[in-house]
Amino acid sequence: MSILVTRPSPAGEQLVSRLRALGQVAWSFPLIEFSQGRELPLLTEQLHALREGDLLFALSQHAVEFAHAQLQQEGQTWPLSPGYFAIGRTTALALHTVSGIDIRYPRDRETSEVLLQLPELQSVAGKRALILRGNGGRELLGETLRERGAEVKFCECYQRCTRHYDGAEEAMRWHQRGVTTLVITSGEMLQQLWSLIPPWYRENWLLRCRLIVVSERLANLARELGWQDIRVADNADNDALLRALQ
């Protein structure tokens, strides 16, 4: 089994390193990279508007990293008044590390659906909610909180930027290297990879690979694109991906 890991740096390289340490053949092929979000200059003002009992959400490690860098640059700290929530364990740990605050997160799957099941998020009418995210994220969390009566604002802390490759050249490279397993952690990257690979390689190599994804939603998208051999990891972090790959 030769494994192609498409998640961005540094998580992609870290997973490849761990796989190689276990004797697996693995390669890093990041499909996106990150840059500063357009709304970061508004972050401090948005945080200061949060009162006791309001809600602060971080939807990825990258949102935490870019937000914290912005606060440090302005000599600001994370506020103590709101309740803190994260999409999953890895993001929660990143947010706790920079803020020192206890973070609530779903223990099952790292999805908006599971996050919204937390008891603290059932009665949010009249509360303010600030969601730290990247560009083009899902709207489910914000829409559901609004339906429950919260006043929702977003802060785009980072932007996902597509990395450009020669599709035919890359398809030939990974086909010749015997890649049989693909690790994909977002719908955006799945669609990007499918579009990048030319039709012949798509039919004769790409869609025949085993696919490791991080949610049922992503598995369904993969089936629609033509994949059949799909496994869903129990979370989106490298530990869960490693378990799925083994």
Side-chain angles (χ1 to χ4, degrees):
M1 178 172 69
S2 188
I3 303 163
L4 192 64
V5 177
T6 66
R7 76 181 321 177
S9 179
E13 286 91 340
Q14 290 164 355
L15 179 57
V16 165
S17 178
R18 292 175 66 179
L19 286 165
R20 288 178 174 174
L22 293 169
Q24 301 276 14
V25 178
W27 311 89
S28 178
F29 183 51
L31 292 171
I32 60 173
E33 55 195 7
F34 302 108
S35 61
Q36 185 167 312
R38 293 167 294 188
E39 296 169 352
L40 264 182
L42 306 174
L43 176 63
T44 296
E45 180 184 337
Q46 289 178 313
L47 289 175
H48 284 164
L50 296 176
R51 303 167 301 226
E52 189 72 33
D54 285 342
L55 312 167
L56 177 65
F57 295 86
L59 299 192
S60 74
Q61 277 180 274
H62 306 291
V64 174
E65 290 162 6
F66 279 97
H68 186 62
Q70 181 72 18
L71 292 179
Q72 284 188 310
Q73 184 180 318
E74 297 180 8
Q76 300 291 326
T77 57
W78 293 90
L80 299 176
S81 50
Y84 279 63
F85 297 85
I87 193 71
R89 182 175 66 88
T90 304
T91 303
L93 179 59
L95 187 52
H96 173 73
T97 300
V98 298
S99 69
I101 293 167
D102 287 338
I103 317 295
R104 295 283 291 126
Y105 64 96
R107 303 303 169 105
D108 185 10
R109 288 195 173 275
E110 298 186 4
T111 67
S112 298
E113 288 89 344
V114 181
L115 175 60
L116 283 161
Q117 292 173 14
L118 290 177
E120 299 93 328
L121 300 181
Q122 304 313 302
S123 301
V124 297
K127 296 185 177 184
R128 295 180 182 180
L130 176 60
I131 300 176
L132 310 182
R133 65 175 186 175
N135 61 311
R138 294 177 72 201
E139 301 296 333
L140 178 67
L141 178 62
E143 288 175 354
T144 305
L145 291 171
R146 282 197 180 105
E147 289 169 4
R148 293 177 183 177
E151 177 191 330
V152 178
K153 293 197 173 176
F154 296 95
C155 183
E156 181 196 285
C157 296
Y158 67 98
Q159 293 187 56
R160 303 174 188 84
C161 309
T162 300
R163 293 187 61 160
H164 297 287
Y165 297 100
D166 182 315
E169 186 178 305
E170 296 300 330
M172 185 183 299
R173 182 203 315 275
W174 303 123
H175 186 237
Q176 289 177 344
R177 287 182 175 177
V179 167
T180 56
T181 301
L182 309 169
V183 177
I184 309 272
T185 54
S186 79
E188 177 187 3
M189 287 188 280
L190 182 68
Q191 188 71 59
Q192 185 184 337
L193 182 63
W194 188 90
S195 300
L196 175 69
I197 302 302
W200 187 90
Y201 279 106
R202 194 185 297 156
E203 294 300 323
N204 292 282
W205 166 67
L206 187 71
L207 294 175
R208 296 184 182 185
C209 287
R210 184 188 194 199
L211 205 59
I212 307 294
V213 298
V214 297
S215 70
E216 284 297 339
R217 183 176 59 87
L218 196 47
N220 289 333
L221 176 59
R223 289 185 193 99
E224 290 172 11
L225 290 172
W227 272 278
Q228 295 181 334
D229 188 359
I230 304 165
R231 179 162 188 178
V232 181
D234 55 31
N235 254 318
D237 60 26
N238 278 348
D239 289 341
L241 290 168
L242 205 57
R243 287 194 296 273
L245 286 161
Q246 291 177 305

